[in-house]
Amino acid sequence: MGRAHASPDAIIIGGGHNGLTCAFYLARAGLSVRIVEARNVIGGAAVTEEFHPGFRNSVASYTVSLLQPKVIADMGLVGRGYRVIERPVSNFLPLAQGDHLILGGGLERTQAAFARFSRKDAEALPGYYAMLERVADVLRELALRPPPNVGSGVAGLVDALTTGRLLSRLPREVQRDVLDLFTKSAREFLTPWFESAAVQAAFGFDAVVGNYASPDTPGSAYVLLHHVFGEVNGHKGSWGHVIGGMGSITRMMAEACAEQGVEISLNSPVEKVLVEGGRATGVRLASGEELRSQRIIANVGPKLLYGRMVPPADLPDDFARRIQGYACGSGSFRMNVALNRLPSFSALPGDGEHLRAGIVIAPSLDYMDRAFVDAKAHGWSREPIVEMLIPSLVDDSLAPAGQHVASLFCQQFDPKLDWTPEQEAAAADCVIDTVEAHAPGFRASILGQQVLSPRGLERTFGLIGGDIFHGRMSLDQLWAARPVLGHADYRGPLKGLYMCGSGTHPGGGVTGAPGHNAAKVVLADKRWRRG
């Protein structure tokens, strides 16, 4: 038995950004809160660490857009130094035969870039952007609302009617767009809009980010949409680099929590959720120490919480079976590299604004599909999908003068593979070869590297199957069905046990929305019990 410990009003498992957000709102409302974090640094997957002597980078999550403006304001992040440098252009895609496509920099400029490939695509762009923005506004409206919970009586019915009225007020064409985005593949969705392979790739890339799937997989269009409903500095759909890396966000959040009296315990991995009489009553740490509280709030994924931390005998049979079938594993392979010089791309040599964009090596939907098929057959793609960012170009705190760090976020690596060190090294070579083919000399410029396979992401951050979203973002695992139909309101099947991570609505990304929404539910339950 572990030793006794003073009981806070709430214990939060995991100190990622959603756990910190939830803790802040609970503490601000007067609850005593303790966060228990497995690692020796706060922040979960949003951390900045040195990976090679003198070189620091955002280790896992690496770019910002989806963080909720309300969370930024409430936690006073701007006053704490939160500063985001927007990309001058969105994406740079090196293409075959030395060609390239640059997306962003304003509508007219993007249209001119598209017109080199298809006049029709250039003309279609304003309508496409308008359609996406209409649907993204729906997501923004729903992001900070707990979804209606099936089977939760009158309260659930009221929530469903409220949401139903919101959706019913949408014009019919927007309702059709919502349906298409939630059900169609990225290729099916994009093909009626655009005919050029390069233009389709520019938009289709977002559909496979963190998604172990082909752009031909039904539902992949939604993942495309999920990446565009954020904003940076008030500019909708923009992405940028936060000065100090992603760890600066969670460091500032931890400061806000500390000011509200939140206790943060590092090096405190949770081994088990304690259950008595169908109610969560505390947690047992790996050290054997037991902590008690009336409220346990998990900022870990549903697969980790209910598959490893909660004894199966304490779960309803159907719920346990559903969680066993909960799809988890995004096929992402993350690398950070220290460079002695900037890469120079054959399609656009030298420095320039394109190096401050997202550099996407995925020249067509067919390329993306082959990468997925190859990964299923071989374990990883020999020609993977790679996005490179070079944050040291706008943040000189990350690398020595004249040198650089690059984030490589790569897709189509089997999350079910054992991922031995030899396999990780071979896959990393494929990534470097892929970049080298477009930027000769890249390999020779590497001074050091950090490699995180899907298994490495799981070992380091508790992301089961390396899933950066805490679970597949498909129609059967979204909104009122995330993570399981009947438990979409951040409450689990055990009394006193809540969820506040990306495995709940509205899903993955550094948003803070699940943490915000879960806190609202916990506080509502507290008021109800008091009443």
Side-chain angles (χ1 to χ4, degrees):
M1 293 290 292
R3 61 181 175 85
H5 194 282
S7 299
D9 295 322
I11 292 173
I12 296 181
I13 304 172
H17 77 281
N18 276 314
L20 290 163
T21 301
C22 185
F24 169 81
Y25 284 111
L26 295 181
R28 193 177 70 167
L31 274 65
S32 58
V33 183
R34 182 174 180 181
I35 296 174
V36 286
E37 165 58 40
R39 300 189 72 221
N40 64 354
V41 60
I42 200 71
V47 289
T48 305
E49 297 179 303
E50 186 176 76
F51 67 94
H52 185 72
F55 293 82
R56 301 164 58 247
N57 202 18
S58 303
V59 175
S61 64
Y62 62 101
T63 186
V64 66
S65 170
L66 304 178
L67 188 59
Q68 287 289 323
K70 184 177 189 299
V71 172
I72 294 171
D74 288 348
M75 299 186 80
L77 300 187
V78 173
R80 301 178 194 281
Y82 178 78
R83 181 174 167 233
V84 180
I85 306 298
E86 295 177 57
R87 301 178 187 179
V89 290
S90 303
N91 293 116
F92 161 59
L93 282 75
L95 304 172
Q97 284 80 50
D99 206 348
H100 71 273
L101 173 62
I102 290 179
L103 180 70
L107 175 62
E108 291 183 1
R109 181 175 173 184
T110 304
Q111 282 184 289
F114 282 12
R116 291 200 306 111
F117 299 90
S118 165
R119 179 67 59 183
K120 174 178 173 291
D121 290 357
E123 293 170 353
L125 185 61
Y128 179 78
Y129 276 161
M131 175 277 300
L132 269 190
E133 189 54 35
R134 287 193 299 266
V135 181
D137 278 341
V138 176
L139 291 190
R140 294 185 187 106
E141 182 76 19
L142 296 176
L144 294 182
R145 293 170 178 251
N149 203 40
V150 175
S152 59
V154 175
L157 180 60
V158 170
D159 289 341
L161 289 172
T162 301
T163 305
R165 281 196 297 269
L166 170 68
L167 296 175
S168 67
R169 290 198 301 266
L170 296 173
R172 184 64 54 83
E173 59 270 22
V174 179
Q175 294 181 28
R176 289 168 176 160
D177 291 332
V178 170
L179 180 63
D180 285 350
L181 278 158
F182 272 83
T183 58
K184 287 186 175 182
S185 73
R187 192 190 299 266
E188 286 177 311
F189 184 76
L190 289 168
T191 299
W193 284 98
F194 305 111
E195 61 185 9
S196 162
V199 172
Q200 290 175 359
F203 291 120
F205 163 71
D206 281 335
V208 297
V209 171
N211 188 19
Y212 189 52
S214 162
D216 294 317
T217 302
S220 56
Y222 173 76
V223 184
L224 177 159
L225 173 67
H226 187 80
H227 286 94
V228 303
F229 81 90
E231 61 181 80
V232 169
N233 302 329
H235 300 147
K236 292 181 179 180
S238 295
W239 288 81
H241 171 78
V242 59
I243 297 299
M246 298 300 283
S248 68
I249 297 176
T250 47
R251 175 184 55 77
M252 296 171 202
M253 286 182 161
E255 289 177 2
C257 286
E259 289 176 7
Q260 298 295 333
V262 174
E263 180 183 359
I264 297 175
S265 300
L266 302 178
N267 298 307
S268 301
V270 170
E271 183 180 77
K272 182 181 180 181
V273 174
L274 304 175
V275 180
E276 297 173 7
R279 182 178 185 88
T281 59
V283 297
R284 179 184 300 149
L285 304 182
S287 65
E289 181 181 6
E290 292 186 358
L291 311 176
R292 299 283 176 169
S293 178
Q294 294 182 18
R295 302 167 188 84
I296 310 300
I297 307 161
N299 185 35
V300 298
K303 201 83 167 178
L304 178 56
L305 174 64
Y306 292 110
R308 301 184 186 179
M309 292 182 177
V310 177
D314 290 321
L315 295 172
D317 290 343
D318 183 68
F319 181 87
R321 181 171 61 83
R322 302 283 177 183
I323 287 293
Q324 187 176 7
Y326 182 77
C328 210
S330 63
S332 296
F333 192 92
R334 190 68 178 82
M335 294 180 65
N336 296 295
V337 292
L339 304 174
N340 64 14
R341 62 182 181 274
L342 287 173
S344 181
F345 286 83
S346 301
L348 196 57
D351 194 0
E353 63 182 2
H354 64 292
L355 295 188
R356 290 155 182 80
I359 302 166
V360 177
I361 300 176
S364 68
L365 297 180
D366 288 342
Y367 179 101
M368 300 178 207
D369 178 58
R370 287 195 301 271
F372 176 61
V373 171
D374 198 21
K376 288 200 300 180
H378 181 67
W380 61 88
S381 173
R382 269 73 63 94
E383 291 185 303
I385 299 162
V386 179
E387 181 182 26
M388 175 193 291
L389 267 73
I390 311 173
S392 51
L393 277 168
V394 296
D395 185 353
D396 61 11
S397 71
L398 301 178
Q403 300 180 318
H404 292 279
V405 296
S407 303
L408 301 176
F409 189 42
C410 318
Q411 310 300 325
Q412 310 317 2
F413 298 79
D414 190 347
K416 295 182 179 178
L417 204 63
D418 286 340
W419 287 105
T420 64
E422 293 76 18
Q423 290 172 323
E424 289 177 339
D429 278 343
C430 283
V431 171
I432 295 169
D433 287 344
T434 300
V435 178
E436 178 79 16
H438 294 275
F442 178 73
R443 180 183 290 277
S445 72
I446 296 175
L447 301 173
Q449 64 186 40
Q450 178 184 38
V451 173
L452 289 166
S453 66
R455 187 58 55 89
L457 290 166
E458 179 174 323
R459 284 192 300 262
T460 306
F461 301 108
L463 302 173
I464 302 300
D467 199 320
I468 62 171
F469 293 150
H470 289 193
R472 186 177 66 198
M473 303 277 285
S474 52
L475 185 59
D476 61 318
Q477 294 185 179
L478 284 172
W479 197 41
R482 190 167 185 87
V484 173
L485 197 68
H487 293 287
D489 59 355
Y490 310 94
R491 302 174 178 94
L494 300 175
K495 292 180 179 179
L497 181 58
Y498 301 84
M499 296 169 283
C500 73
S502 294
T504 60
H505 173 76
V510 179
T511 72
H516 168 278
N517 296 352
K520 287 177 64 175
V521 169
V522 171
L523 293 172
D525 286 355
K526 179 178 180 292
R527 288 191 294 271
W528 181 86
R529 288 186 65 184
R530 184 176 60 204

